[in-house]
Amino acid sequence: MSDCIQLAHGGGGTLMQQLINQELRALYADPAQVLHDAARLELPPGPLAFSTDGYVVQPLEFPGGDMGSLAVIGTANDLAMAGARPLHLSVALLLEEGLPLALLRRFVASMAAAARACELTIVTGDTKVVERGKADGIFITTSGIGAVQAPMPIHPTAIRPGDQLLLSGDLGRHGVAILAARHGLALVPPVLSDCAPLWPQVRALLEAGVRIHCLRDLTRGGLASALQELAEAAAVELAIEEAQLPVLEPVARTCELLGFEPLHLANEGRFVVVVPPSARDQAQTLLAASGGAWIGSVRPASQGARVLLTTSFGTERLLLPLSGELLPRIC
């Protein structure tokens, strides 16, 4: 077999069978899954969550992760935001002619490890090959099914005035890690992406009996865009405090140098949780172990749905969502 992807690897013939058997079979917890056109699933009773996402990150490998791990963790995290335990995943690979097989092997190993970390299984998939120059190495689409564990629906419309806002960890590391890898910035100390499964933290909240009104993971657009989306969906005003926002010093320093706002940077392992006032202390205790913190509260929308930031100087300013694309190809 050539050491690079050829068009014939997607042609349905001998080379494609070699590609599946020698390179892609490792994706599946049950290798026999690749022998059939569809996976037969035994799903638990009760409501299910279903999500799909496409991944086009550039560069394909970055400090703290790569395209493969991101594609598995990203969709698993979307399921977790519905209060669902990730169960099964499908994977579609779009490979560009000339992609080194060594790189594909690293992605396959990374995806398999991420699946184990997310406690899910990859059960079906598809592979296509396009001509050189028609893609950017590899694009990945994943779709996932999860079993909803939350006793009550977790949704933006459940947010109420008086609710409390908490953050699961520090902000901006994925965005800075991608930026540094893309432009060859030698940050000291290096900044690793926060790419990580969110279900363990969500499960801890649910198992402790914390009443959750809403969850939102912080990806493109960062915290600022996520909060604006929640404010508009729930028709409320969200007030957060700058002094409470956890940002690591290397991230803050890089943002200051380049004129970025940490609240606008992408994350791949962080979420906001909205809880009623009575659940704030319990949620804060559970999230503190991973660097989480209380960051603000929900108010009636007296002047429309909006997000206000109380600065470290005690002044209040309107926090706007990201306008345009700060860092394209981030996830």
Side-chain angles (χ1 to χ4, degrees):
M1 181 182 284
S2 165
D3 59 359
C4 290
I5 291 294
Q6 306 171 38
L7 282 176
H9 281 122
T14 302
L15 275 183
M16 186 166 189
Q17 287 307 313
Q18 289 179 359
L19 179 71
I20 292 172
N21 290 327
Q22 297 177 15
E23 311 297 344
L24 303 181
R25 191 178 284 262
L27 281 173
Y28 300 87
D30 177 6
Q33 296 275 13
V34 301
L35 301 177
H36 203 10
D37 284 339
R40 173 173 171 163
L41 305 176
E42 298 290 341
L43 298 174
L48 300 172
F50 179 70
S51 186
T52 191
D53 207 343
Y55 298 87
V56 297
V57 65
Q58 188 60 233
L60 301 175
E61 296 175 294
F62 49 84
D66 59 32
M67 169 86 86
S69 59
L70 187 61
V72 172
I73 289 172
T75 295
N77 286 348
D78 286 342
L79 295 170
M81 293 301 97
R85 176 169 61 91
L87 295 176
H88 305 297
L89 208 69
S90 75
V91 176
L93 301 174
L94 181 62
L95 309 178
E96 181 183 4
E97 180 187 16
L99 177 76
L101 278 174
L103 182 58
L104 179 62
R105 290 185 191 118
R106 293 202 295 274
F107 287 154
V108 169
S110 180
M111 295 177 80
R116 291 191 295 272
C118 292
E119 302 177 29
L120 59 79
T121 55
I122 296 173
V123 294
T124 190
D126 184 44
T127 303
K128 295 289 191 301
V129 180
V130 297
E131 299 92 333
R132 195 182 298 270
K134 298 296 185 182
D136 203 353
I138 179 172
F139 296 147
I140 303 176
T141 297
T142 53
S143 300
I145 296 175
V148 174
Q149 307 290 290
M152 301 290 288
I154 293 175
H155 196 272
T157 56
I159 297 173
R160 297 287 181 269
D163 280 354
Q164 301 295 296
L165 304 168
L166 297 100
L167 191 61
S168 67
D170 60 287
L171 293 170
R173 278 199 282 130
H174 181 68
V176 169
I178 293 288
L179 176 73
R182 188 176 297 172
H183 298 289
L185 303 179
L187 301 179
V188 180
V191 174
L192 304 182
S193 168
D194 54 30
C195 185
L198 296 179
W199 173 244
Q201 288 172 290
V202 175
R203 176 170 54 195
L205 291 168
L206 292 173
E207 290 180 348
V210 174
R211 173 75 177 97
I212 299 174
H213 283 172
C214 189
L215 296 165
R216 179 59 58 93
D217 59 340
L218 310 177
T219 56
R220 288 172 296 174
L223 177 67
S225 294
L227 291 180
Q228 187 64 39
E229 291 169 5
L230 294 180
E232 292 177 0
V236 294
E237 178 178 289
L238 304 181
I240 62 172
E241 299 191 16
E242 187 175 45
Q244 300 295 329
L245 300 176
V247 181
L248 297 184
E249 193 277 338
V251 173
R253 179 160 32 90
T254 303
C255 287
E256 185 176 357
L257 182 66
L258 299 176
F260 290 163
E261 172 65 75
L263 281 71
H264 287 148
L265 288 178
N267 312 266
E268 287 294 342
R270 300 289 180 261
F271 66 94
V272 165
V273 55
V274 187
V275 300
S278 60
R280 168 183 156 169
D281 290 346
Q282 189 181 15
Q284 188 169 2
T285 299
L286 290 167
L287 295 175
S290 57
W294 172 85
I295 60 169
S297 57
V298 182
R299 301 171 178 169
S302 56
Q303 298 184 49
R306 60 180 185 167
V307 182
L308 292 173
L309 175 73
T310 300
T311 70
S312 52
F313 301 105
T315 58
E316 215 170 48
R317 69 177 172 89
L318 197 60
L319 185 62
L320 299 174
L322 182 63
S323 176
E325 192 71 86
L326 184 65
L327 289 171
R329 306 285 298 277
I330 200 78
C331 60

Short mmCIF file of all heavy atoms in Angstrom, two decimals, residues 178-213:
data_model
loop_
_atom_site.label_atom_id
_atom_site.label_comp_id
_atom_site.label_asym_id
_atom_site.label_seq_id
_atom_site.Cartn_x
_atom_site.Cartn_y
_atom_site.Cartn_z
N ILE A 178 -4.70 26.95 19.12
CA ILE A 178 -4.81 26.90 17.66
C ILE A 178 -4.05 28.08 17.05
O ILE A 178 -3.32 27.92 16.05
CB ILE A 178 -6.29 26.96 17.24
CG1 ILE A 178 -7.02 25.69 17.67
CG2 ILE A 178 -6.42 27.17 15.74
CD1 ILE A 178 -6.66 24.46 16.88
N LEU A 179 -4.22 29.25 17.62
CA LEU A 179 -3.53 30.44 17.12
C LEU A 179 -2.02 30.23 17.12
O LEU A 179 -1.33 30.54 16.14
CB LEU A 179 -3.91 31.64 17.98
CG LEU A 179 -3.22 32.96 17.66
CD1 LEU A 179 -3.77 33.53 16.36
CD2 LEU A 179 -3.41 33.96 18.80
N ALA A 180 -1.50 29.71 18.22
CA ALA A 180 -0.05 29.51 18.33
C ALA A 180 0.45 28.48 17.32
O ALA A 180 1.49 28.68 16.69
CB ALA A 180 0.29 29.07 19.76
N ALA A 181 -0.31 27.38 17.16
CA ALA A 181 0.11 26.35 16.21
C ALA A 181 0.03 26.86 14.77
O ALA A 181 0.89 26.55 13.95
CB ALA A 181 -0.77 25.11 16.38
N ARG A 182 -0.99 27.63 14.48
CA ARG A 182 -1.19 28.11 13.10
C ARG A 182 -0.11 29.09 12.68
O ARG A 182 0.32 29.11 11.53
CB ARG A 182 -2.57 28.75 13.01
CG ARG A 182 -2.99 29.12 11.61
CD ARG A 182 -4.41 29.66 11.59
NE ARG A 182 -5.38 28.67 12.03
CZ ARG A 182 -6.68 28.94 12.26
NH1 ARG A 182 -7.12 30.17 12.08
NH2 ARG A 182 -7.50 27.99 12.64
N HIS A 183 0.33 29.93 13.62
CA HIS A 183 1.27 31.00 13.27
C HIS A 183 2.67 30.78 13.83
O HIS A 183 3.51 31.69 13.79
CB HIS A 183 0.71 32.34 13.76
CG HIS A 183 -0.60 32.71 13.10
ND1 HIS A 183 -0.69 33.10 11.79
CD2 HIS A 183 -1.86 32.71 13.59
CE1 HIS A 183 -1.96 33.35 11.48
NE2 HIS A 183 -2.69 33.11 12.56
N GLY A 184 2.92 29.59 14.38
CA GLY A 184 4.27 29.28 14.86
C GLY A 184 4.70 30.11 16.04
O GLY A 184 5.89 30.42 16.18
N LEU A 185 3.76 30.46 16.92
CA LEU A 185 4.10 31.25 18.10
C LEU A 185 4.65 30.33 19.18
O LEU A 185 4.01 29.34 19.55
CB LEU A 185 2.87 31.99 18.64
CG LEU A 185 2.14 32.93 17.66
CD1 LEU A 185 0.93 33.55 18.34
CD2 LEU A 185 3.10 34.00 17.16
N ALA A 186 5.84 30.63 19.69
CA ALA A 186 6.45 29.83 20.74
C ALA A 186 6.10 30.43 22.09
O ALA A 186 6.87 31.21 22.67
CB ALA A 186 7.96 29.76 20.53
N LEU A 187 4.91 30.09 22.60
CA LEU A 187 4.47 30.64 23.87
C LEU A 187 5.20 29.95 25.01
O LEU A 187 5.41 28.74 24.99
CB LEU A 187 2.96 30.46 24.03
CG LEU A 187 2.08 31.11 22.95
CD1 LEU A 187 0.61 30.83 23.24
CD2 LEU A 187 2.34 32.61 22.88
N VAL A 188 5.58 30.71 26.01
CA VAL A 188 6.26 30.17 27.20
C VAL A 188 5.50 30.62 28.45
O VAL A 188 5.43 31.82 28.72
CB VAL A 188 7.72 30.65 27.27
CG1 VAL A 188 8.40 30.08 28.51
CG2 VAL A 188 8.48 30.28 26.01
N PRO A 189 4.91 29.65 29.19
CA PRO A 189 4.85 28.22 28.89
C PRO A 189 3.85 27.96 27.77
O PRO A 189 2.98 28.78 27.50
CB PRO A 189 4.36 27.62 30.21
CG PRO A 189 3.54 28.71 30.83
CD PRO A 189 4.21 29.99 30.45
N PRO A 190 3.96 26.80 27.08
CA PRO A 190 3.02 26.51 26.00
C PRO A 190 1.60 26.41 26.52
O PRO A 190 1.38 25.99 27.65
CB PRO A 190 3.50 25.17 25.46
CG PRO A 190 4.59 24.69 26.34
CD PRO A 190 4.94 25.75 27.31
N VAL A 191 0.64 26.79 25.69
CA VAL A 191 -0.78 26.72 26.05
C VAL A 191 -1.38 25.52 25.33
O VAL A 191 -1.32 25.43 24.10
CB VAL A 191 -1.52 28.00 25.66
CG1 VAL A 191 -3.01 27.86 25.90
CG2 VAL A 191 -0.96 29.19 26.45
N LEU A 192 -1.95 24.58 26.09
CA LEU A 192 -2.60 23.40 25.53
C LEU A 192 -4.09 23.64 25.39
O LEU A 192 -4.71 24.29 26.25
CB LEU A 192 -2.36 22.17 26.40
CG LEU A 192 -0.90 21.81 26.70
CD1 LEU A 192 -0.85 20.53 27.53
CD2 LEU A 192 -0.10 21.64 25.41
N SER A 193 -4.68 23.10 24.33
CA SER A 193 -6.14 23.18 24.17
C SER A 193 -6.83 22.56 25.38
O SER A 193 -6.32 21.63 26.00
CB SER A 193 -6.56 22.44 22.91
OG SER A 193 -7.96 22.27 22.88
N ASP A 194 -8.01 23.08 25.69
CA ASP A 194 -8.80 22.52 26.79
C ASP A 194 -9.69 21.37 26.32
O ASP A 194 -10.57 20.92 27.06
CB ASP A 194 -9.65 23.60 27.45
CG ASP A 194 -10.53 24.34 26.45
OD1 ASP A 194 -10.93 23.73 25.44
OD2 ASP A 194 -10.81 25.53 26.67
N CYS A 195 -9.49 20.90 25.09
CA CYS A 195 -10.33 19.86 24.50
C CYS A 195 -10.46 18.66 25.45
O CYS A 195 -9.46 17.99 25.75
CB CYS A 195 -9.72 19.42 23.17
SG CYS A 195 -10.73 18.23 22.26
N ALA A 196 -11.69 18.40 25.94
CA ALA A 196 -11.90 17.32 26.92
C ALA A 196 -13.38 16.99 26.99
O ALA A 196 -14.23 17.84 26.72
CB ALA A 196 -11.40 17.77 28.30
N PRO A 197 -13.72 15.74 27.37
CA PRO A 197 -15.13 15.37 27.54
C PRO A 197 -15.78 16.15 28.68
O PRO A 197 -15.18 16.32 29.75
CB PRO A 197 -15.06 13.88 27.87
CG PRO A 197 -13.70 13.43 27.44
CD PRO A 197 -12.81 14.61 27.59
N LEU A 198 -17.01 16.58 28.46
CA LEU A 198 -17.76 17.32 29.48
C LEU A 198 -18.72 16.44 30.27
O LEU A 198 -19.21 16.86 31.32
CB LEU A 198 -18.54 18.47 28.82
CG LEU A 198 -17.69 19.55 28.15
CD1 LEU A 198 -18.58 20.60 27.51
CD2 LEU A 198 -16.74 20.20 29.16
N TRP A 199 -19.03 15.26 29.75
CA TRP A 199 -20.02 14.42 30.42
C TRP A 199 -19.65 14.12 31.88
O TRP A 199 -20.54 14.12 32.74
CB TRP A 199 -20.27 13.14 29.64
CG TRP A 199 -21.15 12.18 30.38
CD1 TRP A 199 -20.84 10.94 30.83
CD2 TRP A 199 -22.51 12.42 30.80
NE1 TRP A 199 -21.89 10.39 31.49
CE2 TRP A 199 -22.93 11.27 31.49
CE3 TRP A 199 -23.38 13.50 30.66
CZ2 TRP A 199 -24.21 11.15 32.03
CZ3 TRP A 199 -24.67 13.38 31.21
CH2 TRP A 199 -25.06 12.22 31.89
N PRO A 200 -18.39 13.83 32.23
CA PRO A 200 -18.10 13.55 33.64
C PRO A 200 -18.54 14.66 34.58
O PRO A 200 -19.08 14.38 35.66
CB PRO A 200 -16.58 13.36 33.65
CG PRO A 200 -16.26 12.85 32.29
CD PRO A 200 -17.20 13.61 31.38
N GLN A 201 -18.34 15.92 34.19
CA GLN A 201 -18.77 17.01 35.06
C GLN A 201 -20.30 17.12 35.10
O GLN A 201 -20.89 17.35 36.16
CB GLN A 201 -18.17 18.33 34.57
CG GLN A 201 -16.67 18.45 34.82
CD GLN A 201 -16.09 19.67 34.15
OE1 GLN A 201 -15.99 19.73 32.93
NE2 GLN A 201 -15.72 20.65 34.93
N VAL A 202 -20.95 16.95 33.94
CA VAL A 202 -22.41 17.01 33.91
C VAL A 202 -23.00 15.86 34.72
O VAL A 202 -23.94 16.04 35.49
CB VAL A 202 -22.92 16.97 32.46
CG1 VAL A 202 -24.45 16.91 32.42
CG2 VAL A 202 -22.42 18.19 31.68
N ARG A 203 -22.41 14.68 34.57
CA ARG A 203 -22.90 13.52 35.33
C ARG A 203 -22.77 13.77 36.83
O ARG A 203 -23.69 13.43 37.61
CB ARG A 203 -22.12 12.27 34.94
CG ARG A 203 -22.50 11.03 35.77
CD ARG A 203 -21.88 9.78 35.19
NE ARG A 203 -20.44 9.91 35.05
CZ ARG A 203 -19.70 9.09 34.32
NH1 ARG A 203 -20.25 8.08 33.68
NH2 ARG A 203 -18.40 9.26 34.23
N ALA A 204 -21.65 14.37 37.26
CA ALA A 204 -21.47 14.65 38.69
C ALA A 204 -22.56 15.59 39.21
O ALA A 204 -23.08 15.41 40.32
CB ALA A 204 -20.08 15.25 38.92
N LEU A 205 -22.90 16.58 38.41
CA LEU A 205 -23.96 17.52 38.81
C LEU A 205 -25.30 16.79 38.92
O LEU A 205 -26.05 16.97 39.89
CB LEU A 205 -24.06 18.66 37.80
CG LEU A 205 -22.89 19.65 37.76
CD1 LEU A 205 -22.99 20.54 36.53
CD2 LEU A 205 -22.84 20.51 39.02
N LEU A 206 -25.60 15.96 37.92
CA LEU A 206 -26.89 15.26 37.92
C LEU A 206 -26.97 14.25 39.06
O LEU A 206 -27.99 14.14 39.74
CB LEU A 206 -27.10 14.56 36.57
CG LEU A 206 -27.32 15.48 35.36
CD1 LEU A 206 -27.34 14.67 34.07
CD2 LEU A 206 -28.61 16.27 35.51
N GLU A 207 -25.88 13.50 39.27
CA GLU A 207 -25.90 12.48 40.32
C GLU A 207 -25.99 13.10 41.70
O GLU A 207 -26.49 12.46 42.64
CB GLU A 207 -24.65 11.60 40.20
CG GLU A 207 -24.69 10.69 38.98
CD GLU A 207 -23.45 9.81 38.85
OE1 GLU A 207 -22.46 10.04 39.58
OE2 GLU A 207 -23.48 8.88 38.02
N ALA A 208 -25.52 14.35 41.84
CA ALA A 208 -25.63 15.04 43.12
C ALA A 208 -27.01 15.66 43.31
O ALA A 208 -27.28 16.26 44.36
CB ALA A 208 -24.55 16.13 43.22
N GLY A 209 -27.85 15.55 42.31
CA GLY A 209 -29.20 16.08 42.43
C GLY A 209 -29.32 17.56 42.16
O GLY A 209 -30.33 18.18 42.50
N VAL A 210 -28.29 18.16 41.53
CA VAL A 210 -28.34 19.59 41.20
C VAL A 210 -29.41 19.82 40.12
O VAL A 210 -29.38 19.17 39.07
CB VAL A 210 -26.97 20.09 40.71
CG1 VAL A 210 -27.07 21.53 40.23
CG2 VAL A 210 -25.93 19.96 41.82
N ARG A 211 -30.33 20.72 40.37
CA ARG A 211 -31.34 21.08 39.38
C ARG A 211 -30.70 21.97 38.33
O ARG A 211 -30.26 23.08 38.63
CB ARG A 211 -32.50 21.80 40.05
CG ARG A 211 -33.54 22.35 39.07
CD ARG A 211 -34.41 21.24 38.50
NE ARG A 211 -35.43 21.79 37.62
CZ ARG A 211 -35.30 21.86 36.29
NH1 ARG A 211 -34.20 21.43 35.70
NH2 ARG A 211 -36.28 22.35 35.57
N ILE A 212 -30.64 21.50 37.11
CA ILE A 212 -30.01 22.25 36.02
C ILE A 212 -31.08 22.80 35.10
O ILE A 212 -31.89 22.05 34.56
CB ILE A 212 -29.04 21.34 35.23
CG1 ILE A 212 -27.93 20.82 36.14
CG2 ILE A 212 -28.45 22.09 34.06
CD1 ILE A 212 -27.02 19.80 35.47
N HIS A 213 -31.07 24.12 34.90
CA HIS A 213 -32.02 24.72 33.96
C HIS A 213 -31.46 24.71 32.53
O HIS A 213 -32.21 24.51 31.58
CB HIS A 213 -32.34 26.15 34.38
CG HIS A 213 -33.30 26.21 35.53
ND1 HIS A 213 -33.62 27.38 36.18
CD2 HIS A 213 -34.01 25.23 36.17
CE1 HIS A 213 -34.52 27.14 37.15
NE2 HIS A 213 -34.74 25.84 37.16
#
